[in-house]
Amino acid sequence: MPKKKATQSEKDYRIYRIAGLLARGVTRSEIIKYTAAEWGVKLRQTEQYIQDARMVLKKDFDIDRRQFTADMLSQLSTLQKEARNTGQLHVALGCINAMAKIAQVST
């Protein structure tokens, strides 16, 4: 009996799951083993999922450089505040230094 074809929502789930694995540094061979064990997917389909997942990751960072800079500065500012509140002043200073470097105000 032929295997049931995955629905679009199943495909989307799998692609985003693989994107998460790639983002955490999981290797291609580990992903191939994972998809075979979890979903019974063969190599050819896994390769397509990996390709689609890489496009998802690319889109996440396919933004304007100024917007990316603003996002990074905002995240560092938040982290710096949290570090101060928990008494981790060396982390706060690291965030401030990184912000200055990104904003090109340090030497």
Side-chain angles (χ1 to χ4, degrees):
M1 178 185 286
K3 214 169 203 184
K4 178 181 93 150
K5 192 172 179 180
T7 66
Q8 188 59 50
S9 64
E10 288 172 323
K11 286 180 187 178
D12 291 345
Y13 170 79
R14 292 173 181 182
I15 290 166
Y16 283 99
R17 178 75 177 114
I18 291 171
L21 295 173
L22 288 169
R24 287 191 299 283
V26 176
T27 65
R28 179 183 164 276
S29 60
E30 291 171 321
I31 291 171
I32 290 167
K33 287 177 190 174
Y34 174 82
T35 59
E38 287 293 312
W39 307 318
V41 174
K42 296 187 189 274
L43 176 62
R44 187 170 162 189
Q45 185 59 52
T46 298
E47 293 287 359
Q48 185 61 54
Y49 285 152
I50 291 171
Q51 183 179 349
D52 293 344
R54 286 186 173 137
M55 290 304 295
V56 167
L57 295 174
K58 183 179 180 291
K59 284 180 185 178
D60 282 347
F61 292 98
D62 193 15
I63 60 174
D64 177 72
R65 181 180 171 86
R66 289 175 50 191
Q67 182 61 55
F68 181 76
T69 300
D71 291 349
M72 291 297 101
L73 290 172
S74 177
Q75 290 177 30
L76 283 165
S77 178
T78 299
L79 182 59
Q80 175 267 141
K81 289 174 190 172
E82 290 177 16
R84 281 186 185 197
N85 290 338
T86 59
Q88 298 177 352
L89 299 181
H90 61 288
V91 174
L93 181 59
C95 291
I96 292 167
N97 286 333
M99 291 169 66
K101 194 173 194 177
I102 290 170
Q104 299 177 343
V105 293
S106 69
T107 56

